[in-house]
Amino acid sequence: MKVKKKSSVQEDSVKEEKKQKGKMKIPEAKEEQQRQEEVDSDSVYDSGAENESSPSNLEDMSDGEGSDSEDYPSIRDTDSEDEESGSSGNEGDLNTSGNDGLAIDHGNEDESDSSGLHEEVEESDSSEDEVAPRNTIGAVPLEWYRDEKHIGYDITGKKIKKKEKEDKLQSFLASADDSKNWRKFSDEYNDEEVELTKEDMKTINRLLKGKAPHGEFDPYAPYVDWFKWDDSNHPLSNAPEPKRRFIPSKSESKLVKRLVLAIRKGLIKPKKDEEEEEESVYPLWGDDSNSTEKDGNHLSYIPAPKPKLPGYEESFNPPLEFIPTQEEIDAYQLMYEEDRPKFIPKRFTSMRSIPAYENAVKECFERCLDLYLCPRVRKKRINIDPESLKPKLPSRKDLKPYPVKCYLEYRGHKDAVTSVSTEVSGQWIASGSLDGTVRIWEVATGRCLKLWEIGEAVTYVTWNPNPEYSILAVSAGQDVLLLNIGFGNEEVQKKTKELLCAETPSTPDDTATFVSWIQDETHEGTRLRHFKTVSSVEWHRKGDYLSTVVPADILFRVLSQKSTQTFSIKLGGIAVTSIFHPVRSHFFISTKKTIRQYDLVKGKQIRKLETGLKEISSIAVHPSGDHIIVGSREGKFCWFDMDLSTKKPYLIRQWHKKDINNVSFHRLCPLFATCSDDCTVQVSYGMVYSDLNQNPLIVPLEILRGHASSGGRGVMDCKFHPRQPWLFTAGADSVIRLYCH
């Protein structure tokens, strides 16, 4: 009998080892066969075989012969006697040559028995049957041999030299001529070209289809019972039946009684056998936009849009207000056809007098054209909870302290208080009013310490930010007064008097023609007279520089040098207000719609901010210098983030109904405030983070009320205390209020 077996190409050393194994004696193989005879569960036999435990059959099973498949020969067991013999030829015939080892001659009787018993033989999963790799370097990456002339070593230790790479053009031409090129691939590990056989391709195709790799494998083979029932005289369990199987269960009877009681009370309703037929009723004028029906082409059904339902106008007896007059009907004829109403209501006394609708056929035809020609698109509506769109803001309790209620009032002015300013230490405040007076107040007690009669309406007051000087700048009409308050020790008073000494400048400048320095003996200060009305005055952080804004120009003054300079850069509009940068040598100028930032050292413009507001009223710079808030005459508030490259505001809010008169930042706390003519002050939380990826946190906190309106004006000015979270407000009702936390 010829048996097909796998042939493997092995090296000389492997053959020598197998030859030594082939010298095993036949009696050892027979002892192994006898052991397998005793264990019935070690092998699978056909149920129709007569002699299952015959030595010849066991020998055939151990030898791995008798496979029915020629495409997939059986894999020999490594411990069997046939494995010890030499490998077979290409066709699978058993070789008895001496070079291949010891061969066992099987008789015709064994062949007939084995053919009846074995339908298929299990294949071995042992790695010894696989072909040994040519390259023995293991898991070493081939990149290590990139600069070498070899790619590794074979089993004998000889170098495996690299093959010369063919030219791409030659390899392409060779592949085009070779019809089997699609089955070839290169093995970089062993540096050789491998060609897949037809059997390999069949196996791959079966794996791609999700089938078993072996063609003769039967996934639905009949079940083979491994247990031998022929000689079994006793059952698996011979225990007697328990008594509980013949007595009714008490627990089940209790459960049945409980269910019966629940059904009688109506707690449990049994299901009806006959299902109730649903009424075939549908809404005639209902909206079937949510219908899930499908047409014959299995496309999603999109219902046609419903026509407009008739209303009161289409009624045969409409109300009188719907019936147009003859003048209105004549006016319809003068209108464009698109704007002209398509239906004019008429009134009929009875149903019999209603004529036929003249446009019935036309509208029906247009409706059919719309249904036939117009494409339909289903638009999905996004259902979003409005609460989820609101930003998650922190609690107001976590943002304390901030001003909440009025703690003290400063009364004494007879007209509207236009401006208020706080001293650096926070012990004193100065206020200016339209009654032409300037007052100095003590913050803690509300006592008026000093009073100056200016003679003109005071529009702006500001305290020198340098504690070494005790100077207050007052803007009244075309003059700016620099007043010596008289606070501080002798050294502070000495420096203040030297700074306010009005001497004629040694080098005349161009501004001497329209700006003059005059010594004011009445108020013990210096008067700077301009040719136009001064709108705002701002100090530099060093206290030696002063800027004034007039309708035509912006002027800079150096008090130590008694000199005045003009801002020669074109602004592109009328200047409204100006402010110095709190850290750098920069200067901000705001016109009615834009804000420009200039570098005073280089004398050029750095950036231009577009507010998008109708008219700017005031600006304030954050103590860090990277953020600006802007108030407008229309009640809108803007926040600019200077770290962003955009020129547009980061945030715009409508917090007031009327004009915003002033905006202010706190020097230490993350607070800012806006005051308006609607007699309210909006206090907000504005936290600025050092992380540039995190946006500033802006939370409105409190709306402060208390000022009364006078002449259409409300709160004129607001300033924060330099150290405490307090806010001073100046109102048109001639009252100054202090709000504390």
Side-chain angles (χ1 to χ4, degrees):
M1 174 181 175
K2 294 183 180 181
V3 181
K4 291 188 178 182
K5 299 182 179 180
K6 287 187 177 180
S7 61
S8 62
V9 181
Q10 301 177 348
E11 300 295 332
D12 298 339
S13 58
V14 180
K15 289 182 178 181
E16 291 178 2
E17 293 177 3
K18 288 198 172 185
K19 286 180 181 180
Q20 292 178 1
K21 290 182 181 180
K23 295 180 181 181
M24 182 188 296
K25 296 181 180 180
I26 298 176
E28 295 179 357
K30 291 183 177 181
E31 293 177 1
E32 185 67 18
Q33 294 172 2
Q34 292 177 0
R35 294 194 194 106
Q36 294 180 0
E37 234 178 273
E38 297 173 359
V39 183
D40 295 336
S41 62
D42 291 344
S43 58
V44 180
Y45 296 92
D46 185 34
S47 57
E50 296 179 359
N51 298 325
E52 292 182 352
S53 60
S54 63
S56 61
N57 292 336
L58 288 174
E59 185 176 356
D60 291 341
M61 287 296 294
S62 62
D63 292 343
E65 298 178 1
S67 175
D68 295 335
S69 174
E70 294 181 1
D71 294 335
Y72 303 98
S74 62
I75 301 175
R76 297 166 295 174
D77 189 2
T78 54
D79 296 334
S80 64
E81 184 175 319
D82 195 16
E83 178 65 22
E84 296 168 3
S85 64
S87 59
S88 62
N90 294 333
E91 297 180 355
D93 295 339
L94 187 62
N95 259 338
T96 56
S97 97
N99 296 332
D100 295 335
L102 182 63
I104 302 175
D105 187 13
H106 299 280
N108 296 330
E109 184 181 0
D110 295 341
E111 292 179 0
S112 61
D113 294 341
S114 63
S115 61
L117 287 174
H118 298 285
E119 291 183 358
E120 60 180 22
V121 180
E122 296 181 356
E123 295 186 355
S124 174
D125 293 335
S126 176
S127 60
E128 295 182 1
D129 296 337
E130 298 178 358
V131 179
R134 180 186 176 196
N135 198 349
T136 60
I137 60 175
V140 175
L142 294 177
E143 294 181 359
W144 294 4
Y145 293 90
R146 183 174 52 189
D147 299 333
E148 302 293 337
K149 295 182 180 180
H150 61 286
I151 60 172
Y153 303 90
D154 57 5
I155 197 169
T156 59
K158 295 180 181 180
K159 294 182 179 180
I160 302 175
K161 294 183 178 181
K162 295 181 179 178
K163 295 181 180 179
E164 295 182 358
K165 294 184 178 180
E166 296 181 357
D167 188 9
K168 292 185 178 180
L169 181 60
Q170 295 179 358
S171 60
F172 175 74
L173 295 175
S175 62
D177 297 337
D178 191 3
S179 61
K180 299 181 180 179
N181 180 64
W182 64 278
R183 293 192 300 180
K184 296 180 181 180
F185 65 92
S186 60
D187 185 4
E188 296 181 356
Y189 187 77
N190 295 317
D191 196 12
E192 58 186 6
E193 187 176 3
V194 181
E195 181 180 354
L196 297 176
T197 61
K198 293 183 178 180
E199 289 75 11
D200 297 337
M201 295 304 299
K202 292 180 180 179
T203 303
I204 293 173
N205 290 333
R206 291 184 63 83
L207 291 175
L208 291 175
K209 294 179 181 179
K211 299 180 179 180
H214 299 285
E216 297 183 356
F217 175 76
D218 186 10
Y220 307 105
Y223 174 72
V224 178
D225 193 358
W226 58 271
F227 192 81
K228 295 178 63 177
W229 300 93
D230 299 339
D231 301 334
S232 57
N233 298 325
H234 300 283
L236 295 177
S237 176
N238 200 17
E241 292 290 336
K243 187 178 180 181
R244 63 177 177 271
R245 296 188 180 179
F246 306 98
I247 299 176
S249 176
K250 293 182 179 180
S251 60
E252 291 181 359
S253 63
K254 291 180 180 179
L255 179 60
V256 171
K257 290 180 180 179
R258 249 187 260 119
L259 294 175
V260 171
L261 184 62
I263 292 173
R264 289 177 179 175
K265 290 182 177 180
L267 300 177
I268 299 177
K269 296 181 179 180
K271 295 182 180 180
K272 297 182 179 180
D273 297 337
E274 297 181 357
E275 297 181 357
E276 297 180 357
E277 296 183 359
E278 297 182 357
E279 298 180 359
S280 58
V281 179
Y282 62 93
L284 181 63
W285 302 105
D287 184 12
D288 56 351
S289 59
N290 298 325
S291 178
T292 57
E293 298 178 3
K294 296 183 179 180
D295 55 7
N297 297 328
H298 302 283
L299 299 176
S300 59
Y301 172 71
I302 301 177
K306 295 289 184 181
K308 184 181 178 181
L309 299 179
Y312 291 106
E313 297 179 355
E314 287 79 5
S315 174
F316 75 96
N317 190 12
L320 295 176
E321 58 266 18
F322 286 95
I323 300 175
T325 61
Q326 187 62 33
E327 296 178 357
E328 293 178 350
I329 295 175
D330 296 339
Y332 293 158
Q333 303 300 326
L334 301 177
M335 298 172 62
Y336 290 102
E337 188 176 356
E338 297 177 355
D339 301 334
R340 193 181 305 165
K342 297 181 179 180
F343 181 79
I344 298 176
K346 295 180 181 180
R347 193 168 190 177
F348 301 96
T349 57
S350 62
M351 294 285 290
R352 292 175 296 175
S353 60
I354 300 175
Y357 183 47
E358 54 185 3
N359 295 328
V361 178
K362 180 181 177 181
E363 290 184 0
C364 183
F365 178 71
E366 291 178 353
R367 174 68 175 171
C368 294
L369 290 180
D370 293 341
L371 296 176
Y372 178 67
L373 298 178
C374 295
R376 304 176 193 173
V377 178
R378 186 184 296 275
K379 294 183 179 180
K380 295 183 179 180
R381 295 180 181 178
I382 302 176
N383 297 325
I384 300 177
D385 186 12
E387 297 294 332
S388 63
L389 300 178
K390 295 181 180 179
K392 296 181 180 179
L393 301 178
S395 176
R396 294 171 56 187
K397 297 180 181 179
D398 302 336
L399 305 179
K400 290 183 178 180
Y402 55 87
V404 176
K405 57 184 178 179
C406 181
Y407 174 74
L408 194 63
E409 291 184 355
Y410 306 88
R411 295 180 179 272
H413 288 288
K414 298 179 182 179
D415 205 343
V417 183
T418 56
S419 180
V420 65
S421 179
T422 58
E423 194 253 343
V424 180
S425 63
Q427 187 178 359
W428 317 96
I429 62 171
S431 63
S433 174
L434 295 179
D435 59 2
T437 60
V438 176
R439 293 175 181 265
I440 303 297
W441 309 82
E442 188 178 6
V443 174
T445 61
R447 179 172 59 96
C448 181
L449 187 65
K450 286 191 177 184
L451 172 64
W452 286 276
E453 293 286 347
I454 305 301
E456 294 183 22
V458 179
T459 58
Y460 203 85
V461 294
T462 176
W463 216 298
N464 195 314
N466 194 342
E468 297 180 358
Y469 304 110
S470 180
I471 301 175
L472 180 68
V474 179
S475 170
Q478 297 181 359
D479 297 339
V480 175
L481 292 174
L482 303 179
L483 303 177
N484 186 0
I485 307 302
F487 296 159
N489 51 23
E490 296 180 358
E491 185 178 357
V492 173
Q493 285 298 314
K494 182 180 179 181
K495 290 182 178 180
T496 302
K497 291 178 180 179
E498 290 178 357
L499 196 64
L500 295 180
C501 181
E503 298 179 356
T504 304
S506 57
T507 58
D509 50 0
D510 299 337
T511 60
T513 57
F514 51 85
V515 177
S516 58
W517 296 67
I518 304 172
Q519 188 72 30
D520 192 346
E521 297 178 357
T522 305
H523 303 96
E524 297 180 358
T526 303
R527 183 183 294 269
L528 304 178
R529 181 156 292 175
H530 300 73
F531 65 98
K532 287 187 178 181
T533 304
V534 179
S535 60
S536 68
V537 181
E538 290 292 337
W539 286 99
H540 191 266
R541 65 180 182 277
K542 294 182 179 180
D544 192 21
Y545 303 95
L546 186 70
S547 71
T548 58
V549 178
V550 295
D553 207 344
I554 297 176
L555 304 177
F556 293 100
R557 292 174 180 81
V558 183
L559 301 183
S560 59
Q561 300 178 3
K562 304 298 183 296
S563 63
T564 305
Q565 297 178 0
T566 59
F567 200 74
S568 59
I569 301 177
K570 293 183 179 181
L571 300 177
I574 299 175
V576 176
T577 182
S578 64
I579 191 170
F580 286 96
H581 196 283
V583 180
R584 305 182 184 92
S585 59
H586 294 172
F587 190 65
F588 295 94
I589 301 174
S590 69
T591 59
K592 289 187 177 181
K593 293 187 177 181
T594 61
I595 299 175
R596 301 170 187 265
Q597 182 181 3
Y598 295 93
D599 190 344
L600 297 177
V601 177
K602 299 180 181 179
K604 65 177 183 179
Q605 179 178 326
I606 298 176
R607 91 172 32 90
K608 178 182 176 182
L609 304 177
E610 298 288 344
T611 59
L613 304 175
K614 292 182 179 179
E615 185 178 353
I616 298 175
S617 60
S618 59
I619 62 173
V621 183
H622 192 268
S624 64
D626 295 333
H627 301 267
I628 297 178
I629 56 177
V630 183
S632 68
R633 295 294 182 189
E634 53 189 310
K636 289 185 178 180
F637 151 79
C638 297
W639 180 294
F640 283 94
D641 190 351
M642 308 297 287
D643 295 330
L644 301 177
S645 60
T646 179
K647 298 180 181 179
K648 297 181 180 180
Y650 164 71
L651 184 71
I652 300 178
R653 290 291 183 269
Q654 181 83 35
W655 284 347
H656 298 279
K657 298 179 181 179
K658 294 185 179 181
D659 300 354
I660 295 178
N661 293 322
N662 194 19
V663 293
S664 177
F665 269 114
H666 198 285
R667 295 182 183 178
L668 302 178
C669 302
L671 298 173
F672 67 93
T674 60
C675 61
S676 173
D677 283 338
D678 58 359
C679 301
T680 61
V681 179
Q682 176 71 50
V683 181
S684 304
Y685 180 87
M687 185 64 183
V688 176
Y689 301 95
S690 58
D691 187 7
L692 298 180
N693 295 327
Q694 193 169 3
N695 296 327
L697 177 62
I698 301 173
V699 182
L701 296 176
E702 193 73 24
I703 299 177
L704 304 179
R705 294 180 174 86
H707 287 279
S709 178
S710 176
R713 305 302 300 274
V715 184
M716 306 291 289
D717 194 8
C718 63
K719 291 290 190 303
F720 277 102
H721 192 277
R723 296 181 181 179
Q724 299 293 335
W726 300 345
L727 182 66
F728 299 94
T729 60
D733 55 355
S734 70
V735 179
I736 302 172
R737 291 175 176 266
L738 170 61
Y739 292 90
C740 300
H741 60 283

